[in-house]
């Protein structure tokens, strides 16, 4: 099949790769297949259902390299699941009684799209797979080539998701500023809440990046500027159980000796216990269209802050969330190299009609390839047995908790 028209969309939450990935796709098509018409759906699957798209003009093609210098998505995002019919109806995306998959398929058909590039997490890409399967069943062949975007780095079987390295680096920069707040009050407790619903990779990687910065600084203990006060004192991730009483005892000693405590917390750590507590009290647990608990409504950081504040005798407790800062950044050099490799391969695969999600396939020796859609799924846990994580916990005197089975 000769490819004449290609569409792209970004979906889900932001990550430090979307703008660079859009630019990379445009540059690669312009380089090796300039005759191919390019369009972008605005606002992800929302724009696809509404038929809102823009042409990638020659002027945009000539400036596509600029996109790598920015965070966010130049073509907009949304959280829409095409198989959640009622949610699509409630949003006014389709009429009552209309199948969103059918509506999306008809729009792609009207637009004459033969290749769809989706840049998003597991929900985005599995939704695209559902769409491609629907079209195939109805006699319309669409090649879908996805790119893995999630700062949680939690997609099976992909070794490294686009934007995750940058998010960890940005989380460290965020911490370098907010942890200075420990000096504003005696017995200060700071909770640095990091994104990560089911996977603690980002929290662990952020703590590692931050601690590397801490250990590289010069300190002046004589005036109270000490590594101990700025250091990481605890790292809590969803994959490991948290013994609140034992940790409170350990951290109380830190508070008494150092005068403050700094905790790096995955937003999903201890979530089961928090949800169980809410449900037991009769409170409704808010969820999004994908069935995920709305973490901003549940507020795990505040819950942990309340628990530890009493146990440690903190005079002031502050919860800082780095997620929106981290996920909205422009990609760093390490991510840009991975993004470029992925977008180049994505275009090459699309032109030869090979669908899948481009990533380093952990089941095939980390080879970068189009991974089959049925093998893509979210919820990959952080491997807490990695040596660097053991070294991190040991360096701050924290015992590793028991593994949690979700």
């Amino acid at each position: 099949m000769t490819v004449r028209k290609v569409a792209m969309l970004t979906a889900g939450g932001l990550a430090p790769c979307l703008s660079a990935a859009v630019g990379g796709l445009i540059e690669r098509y312009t380089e090796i297949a300039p005759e191919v018409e390019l369009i972008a759906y605005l606002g992800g699957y929302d724009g696809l259902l509404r038929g809102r798209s823009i042409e990638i003009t020659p002027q945009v093609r000539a400036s596509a390299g600029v996109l790598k210098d920015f965070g966010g998505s130049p073509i907009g995002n949304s959280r829409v699941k095409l198989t959640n019919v009622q949610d699509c109806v409630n949003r006014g995306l389709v009429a009552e009684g209309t199948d969103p998959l059918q509506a999306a398929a008809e729009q792609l058909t009207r637009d004459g799209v033969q290749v769809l590039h989706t840049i998003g997490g597991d929900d985005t890409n599995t939704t695209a797979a559902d769409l491609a399967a629907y079209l195939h069943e109805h006699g319309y062949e669409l090649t879908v080539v996805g790119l893995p975007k999630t700062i949680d780095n939690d997609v099976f079987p992909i070794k490294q998701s686009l934007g995750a390295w940058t998010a960890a680096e940005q989380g460290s920069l965020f911490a370098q500023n907010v942890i200075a707040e420990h000096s504003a009050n005696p017995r200060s407790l700071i909770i640095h809440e990091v994104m990560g619903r089911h996977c603690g990779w980002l929290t662990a990687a952020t703590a590692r990046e931050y601690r590397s910065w801490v250990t590289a600084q010069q300190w002046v203990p004589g005036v109270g500027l000490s590594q101990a006060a700025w250091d990481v004192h605890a790292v809590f991730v969803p994959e490991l159980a948290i013994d609140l009483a034992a940790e409170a005892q350990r951290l109380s000693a830190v508070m008494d000796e150092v005068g403050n405590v700094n905790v790096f917390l995955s937003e999903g750590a201890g979530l089961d216990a928090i949800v169980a507590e809410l449900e037991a009290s009769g409170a409704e647990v808010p969820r999004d269209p994908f069935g995920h608990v709305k973490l901003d409504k549940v507020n795990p950081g505040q819950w942990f802050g309340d628990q530890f504040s009493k146990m440690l005798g903190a005079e002031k407790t502050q919860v800082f969330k780095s997620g929106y800062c981290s996920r909205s950044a422009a990609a760093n050099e390490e991510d840009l190299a991975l993004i470029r490799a992925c977008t180049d391969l994505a275009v090459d695969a699309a032109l030869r009609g090979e669908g899948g999600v481009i990533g380093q396939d952990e089941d095939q020796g980390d080879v970068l390839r189009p991974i089959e859609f049925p093998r893509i799924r979210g919820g990959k846990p952080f491997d807490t047995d990695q040596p660097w994580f053991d070294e991190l916990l040991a360096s701050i005197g924290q015992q590793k908790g028991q593994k949690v089975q979700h």
Side-chain angles (χ1 to χ4, degrees):
M1 177 184 71
T2 301
V3 176
R4 297 181 301 276
K5 192 169 186 179
V6 170
M8 62 187 72
L9 61 81
T10 62
L14 297 181
C17 65
L18 298 176
S19 192
V22 169
L25 290 172
I26 295 171
E27 286 186 313
R28 184 62 172 172
Y29 275 109
T30 301
E31 176 188 357
I32 67 172
E35 73 284 358
V36 173
E37 183 181 353
L38 302 177
I39 66 170
Y41 289 108
L42 299 176
Y45 289 116
D46 181 294
L48 173 56
L49 289 173
R50 297 182 191 275
R52 297 178 61 239
S53 64
I54 57 171
E55 176 191 356
I56 306 301
T57 64
Q59 292 78 14
V60 173
R61 288 175 185 253
S63 301
V66 174
L67 296 179
K68 73 178 185 304
D69 297 329
F70 291 86
S73 171
I75 56 178
N77 273 32
S78 64
R79 290 186 182 275
V80 175
K81 190 174 180 67
L82 297 182
T83 52
N84 189 336
V85 178
Q86 192 57 53
D87 181 63
C88 290
V89 171
N90 293 343
R91 294 186 188 206
L93 299 177
V94 297
E96 190 78 48
T98 300
D99 182 350
L101 281 172
Q102 179 183 352
E106 290 174 351
Q107 185 64 52
L108 288 164
T109 303
R110 283 194 296 271
D111 291 339
V113 172
Q114 297 157 299
V115 172
L116 176 64
H117 287 287
T118 56
I119 310 168
D122 60 293
D123 285 326
T124 297
N125 288 309
T126 52
T127 293
D130 291 337
L131 183 57
Y134 180 92
L135 285 162
H136 177 73
E137 290 170 5
H138 292 79
Y140 184 92
E141 295 305 322
L142 175 76
T143 300
V144 179
V145 183
L147 291 166
K149 169 240 56 161
T150 168
I151 60 175
D152 295 345
N153 198 27
D154 65 344
V155 180
F156 286 106
I158 296 173
K159 179 181 180 181
Q160 188 68 35
S161 297
L162 307 183
W165 282 322
T166 303
E169 178 182 82
Q170 290 295 320
S172 169
L173 292 172
F174 179 92
Q176 290 166 33
N177 289 334
V178 300
I179 286 180
E181 282 288 323
H182 76 266
S183 61
N185 207 82
R187 297 189 72 83
S188 169
L189 169 62
I190 290 178
I191 308 285
H192 177 194
E193 184 178 334
V194 182
M195 283 186 170
R197 178 182 299 275
H198 301 297
C199 178
W201 182 90
L202 182 59
T203 299
T206 299
R208 176 176 60 170
E209 286 282 331
Y210 174 76
R211 193 152 202 284
S212 293
W213 174 81
V214 167
T215 56
Q217 303 311 302
Q218 290 187 324
W219 302 99
V220 189
V223 293
L225 185 65
S226 69
Q227 177 178 327
W230 285 74
D231 217 335
V232 179
H233 300 129
V235 181
F236 299 136
V237 297
E239 293 81 0
L240 297 176
I242 304 168
D243 186 333
L244 283 177
E247 279 300 296
Q249 183 177 9
R250 181 179 72 85
L251 294 175
S252 289
V254 174
M255 181 72 85
D256 292 342
E257 179 182 353
V258 179
N260 64 283
V261 166
N262 307 315
V263 175
F264 281 59
L265 170 77
S266 287
E267 60 183 356
L271 183 60
D272 292 344
I274 299 171
V275 169
E277 183 178 295
L278 287 172
E279 291 176 338
S281 69
E284 181 181 353
V285 179
R287 298 180 185 272
D288 67 16
F290 295 94
H292 304 317
V293 174
K294 291 185 176 180
L295 294 173
D296 58 330
K297 304 295 184 184
V298 173
N299 209 346
Q302 192 60 54
W303 187 87
F304 274 94
D306 291 343
Q307 304 301 312
F308 279 125
S309 180
K310 300 169 187 174
M311 296 176 175
L312 306 186
E315 291 190 17
K316 185 174 184 179
T317 299
Q318 293 172 284
V319 179
F320 297 103
K321 301 182 181 184
S322 61
Y324 291 109
C325 172
S326 295
R327 77 178 198 170
S328 301
N332 65 15
E333 291 301 320
E334 193 173 19
D335 263 317
L336 284 174
L338 180 59
I339 292 165
R340 171 60 69 180
C342 288
T343 53
D344 283 357
L345 181 55
V347 173
D348 295 348
L351 292 175
R352 63 176 181 261
E354 184 179 1
V357 179
I358 306 300
Q360 298 157 308
D361 192 336
E362 291 183 306
D363 296 335
Q364 297 193 22
D366 298 338
V367 172
L368 189 66
R369 59 181 297 274
I371 301 172
E372 297 77 11
F373 279 109
R375 297 175 55 217
I376 298 295
R377 60 188 176 92
K380 182 178 76 172
F382 168 53
D383 180 5
T384 57
D385 290 330
Q386 294 186 73
W388 67 263
F389 185 63
D390 286 336
E391 292 168 6
L392 173 64
L393 294 187
S395 69
I396 63 175
Q398 181 178 339
Q399 294 293 315
K400 184 188 288 188
Q402 295 296 311
K403 289 188 178 182
V404 175
Q405 298 299 322
H406 291 287

